[in-house]
């Protein structure tokens, strides 16, 4: 048992089983034993890799997309350029380097990072030293100004709850104890008003996941965009609505049992984008249609950019550059599994690469 498993077992013995969300928060963020607290999880030596670590093109194209949205909105003079869960700071560094080509953008932008891990904060400080970032513990602490925000693989780290459909109600999955070991179990079934709409598209035994902290985070982001202008690009693996059990543990780039080594493995779940879009609209902002990552990157010109970068490369470096382009965009790699959603003010267009999903105001004039 890991030290964290012993702590959790003692808590469950004293207080009873805990919902999955509480287990996830402890495993990821426990101040002493949490997964993100004590390590850099990214890269070959870590447990997983992410799009910005695969190629500089990812951050460059997203940085330019945000700078384009900023110009579309009249190039406001003081903005926040923010990223929750910035990892090693690679995406932000690439975005800032590319967006520096857009006159006035980086001069207007204060860089704000929301990061829970002290170790990753240090990596971000080293990477982004020239830009003097400000760190926050929570999105709610971001200043009230126009907000331009990118989030990649942040929302998948937020704690989910899982509910198993019964005949007419829902039984929550929880972590309990059996013979001194952590085990998954089910709480008694309850009718849940929030999940009532899902009775129509699920069968008994199906799992539905919810993530209230993700909706609250979107509320903070979208509220600022509605009040002050700005744009947000949210990228993560997932789908429009939650379908089935997507709770996953990764250790050393391989799946493992989430209960096996609490605090030692990365825990994630697929992001359900429909509740996030609904939260953004409830906060007064508009949202784009959901777009697969590969389609978004193609629309933003990744192939042209890849060709320019390829000119300076040969041999193994060229080979890995071509592989990176494929990995980011190909439908059988990250291109389809990862999706992107944009949030923008109701009165401004979505950032480039995105299509508004607002119903068209009036087609009568076209007739
Ligand atoms: N966006 C980066 C890193 C993704 S890993 C990339 O694409 O490479 C997830 C990131 O979110 C890490 O930086 C992790 O420390 C951070 N994180 C996870 N949960 C968090 C929380 N509740 N609050 C703030 N940061 C969090």
């Amino acid at each position: 048992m890991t030290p964290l498993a012993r702590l959790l077992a003692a808590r469950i013995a004293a207080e009873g089983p805990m919902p999955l969300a509480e287990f996830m928060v402890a495993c990821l963020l426990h101040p002493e034993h949490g997964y993100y607290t004590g390590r850099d999880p990214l890269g070959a030596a870590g447990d997983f890799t992410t799009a910005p670590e695969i190629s500089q093109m990812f951050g460059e194209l997203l940085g330019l997309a945000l700078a384009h949205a900023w110009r579309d909105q009249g190039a406001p003079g003081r903005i926040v350029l923010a990223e929750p869960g910035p990892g090693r700071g690679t995406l932000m560094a690439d975005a800032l380097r590319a967006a520096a080509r857009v006159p006035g953008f980086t001069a207007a932008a204060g860089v704000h990072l929301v990061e829970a891990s002290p170790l990753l904060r240090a990596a971000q400080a080293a990477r982004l030293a020239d830009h003097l970032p400000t760190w926050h513990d929570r999105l709610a602490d971001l200043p009230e100004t126009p907000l331009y925000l990118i989030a990649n693989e942040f929302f998948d780290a937020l704690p989910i709850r899982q509910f198993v459909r019964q005949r007419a109600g829902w039984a929550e999955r929880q972590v309990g104890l059996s013979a001194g070991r952590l085990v998954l179990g089910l709480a008694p079934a309850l009718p849940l008003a929030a999940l009532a709409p899902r009775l129509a598209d699920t069968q008994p035994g199906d799992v539905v996941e919810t993530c209230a902290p993700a909706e609250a985070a979107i509320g903070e982001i979208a509220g600022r965009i509605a009040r002050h202008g700005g744009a947000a690009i949210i990228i993560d693996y997932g789908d429009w609505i939650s379908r089935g059990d997507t709770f996953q543990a990764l250790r050393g780039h391989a799946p493992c049992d989430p209960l096996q080594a609490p605090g030692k493995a990365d825990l994630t779940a697929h992001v359900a984008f429909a509740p996030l879009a609904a939260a953004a609209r409830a906060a007064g902002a508009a949202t784009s249609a959901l777009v697969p990552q590969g389609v978004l990157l193609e629309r933003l010109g990744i192939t042209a950019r890849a060709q320019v970068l390829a000119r300076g490369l040969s041999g193994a470096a060229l080979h890995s550059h071509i592989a990176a382009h494929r990995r980011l965009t190909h439908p059988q790699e990250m291109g389809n599994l990862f999706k992107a959603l944009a949030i923008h003010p109701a009165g401004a267009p979505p950032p480039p690469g995105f299509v508004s999903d607002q119903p068209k105001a009036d087609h009568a004039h076209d007739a």
Side-chain angles (χ1 to χ4, degrees), residues 25 28-29 35-37 39 41-42 48-53 58 83-91 114-118 120-121 124 136-139 150-159 213 235 266:
V25 169
L28 293 179
L29 300 175
Y35 177 75
Y36 281 116
T37 319
R39 65 171 63 63
L42 294 155
F48 59 95
T49 193
T50 57
E53 302 298 333
F58 187 79
E83 187 183 357
R88 291 176 172 168
T90 308
L91 195 169
V114 178
E115 175 57 66
S117 154
L120 288 175
R121 280 191 184 200
Q124 294 151 19
H136 304 279
D137 291 333
R138 306 171 318 142
L139 282 158
I150 312 180
N152 184 62
E153 292 211 47
F154 169 71
F155 284 90
D156 67 8
L158 299 184
I235 303 184
D266 185 38

Side-chain angles (χ1 to χ4, degrees), residues 215-244:
E215 293 170 39
I218 290 289
E220 297 293 341
I221 295 167
R224 282 168 180 73
I225 291 172
R227 288 189 292 275
H228 311 290
I233 299 177
I234 312 294
I235 303 184
D236 229 305
Y237 64 122
D239 237 310
W240 187 238
I241 61 169
S242 156
R243 284 187 199 286

Side-chain angles (χ1 to χ4, degrees), residues 203-362:
Q203 302 290 325
D206 286 354
V207 173
V208 168
E209 297 172 343
T210 64
C211 188
E215 293 170 39
I218 290 289
E220 297 293 341
I221 295 167
R224 282 168 180 73
I225 291 172
R227 288 189 292 275
H228 311 290
I233 299 177
I234 312 294
I235 303 184
D236 229 305
Y237 64 122
D239 237 310
W240 187 238
I241 61 169
S242 156
R243 284 187 199 286
D245 174 6
T246 71
F247 185 49
Q248 170 182 291
L250 270 189
R251 195 175 182 184
H253 296 264
C256 63
D257 176 354
L259 301 188
Q260 196 61 49
K264 306 280 185 209
D266 185 38
L267 301 182
T268 59
H270 284 206
V271 172
F273 284 91
L276 304 191
R281 287 167 188 231
T287 54
S288 73
L290 197 63
V291 57
Q293 172 175 300
V295 174
L296 174 67
L297 294 176
E298 289 298 350
R299 285 181 186 159
L300 294 177
I302 193 170
T303 299
R305 179 65 181 138
Q307 283 163 351
V308 170
L309 288 172
R311 278 186 213 141
L313 301 174
S314 60
L318 179 60
H319 186 77
S320 92
H321 171 61
I322 292 168
H325 172 268
R326 183 186 150 89
R327 199 156 164 208
L328 291 179
T329 58
H330 196 280
Q332 282 167 3
E333 306 244 6
M334 297 172 81
N336 219 16
L337 180 61
F338 283 74
K339 312 282 196 306
L341 177 79
I343 301 170
H344 59 101
F354 291 91
V355 179
S356 175
D357 81 338
Q358 311 303 304
K360 287 272 180 302
D362 186 3

Side-chain angles (χ1 to χ4, degrees), residues 130-152:
D130 294 347
H131 302 281
L132 301 172
T134 305
W135 281 269
H136 304 279
D137 291 333
R138 306 171 318 142
L139 282 158
D141 299 332
L142 288 176
E144 287 284 344
T145 55
L147 172 64
Y148 292 80
L149 178 142
I150 312 180
N152 184 62

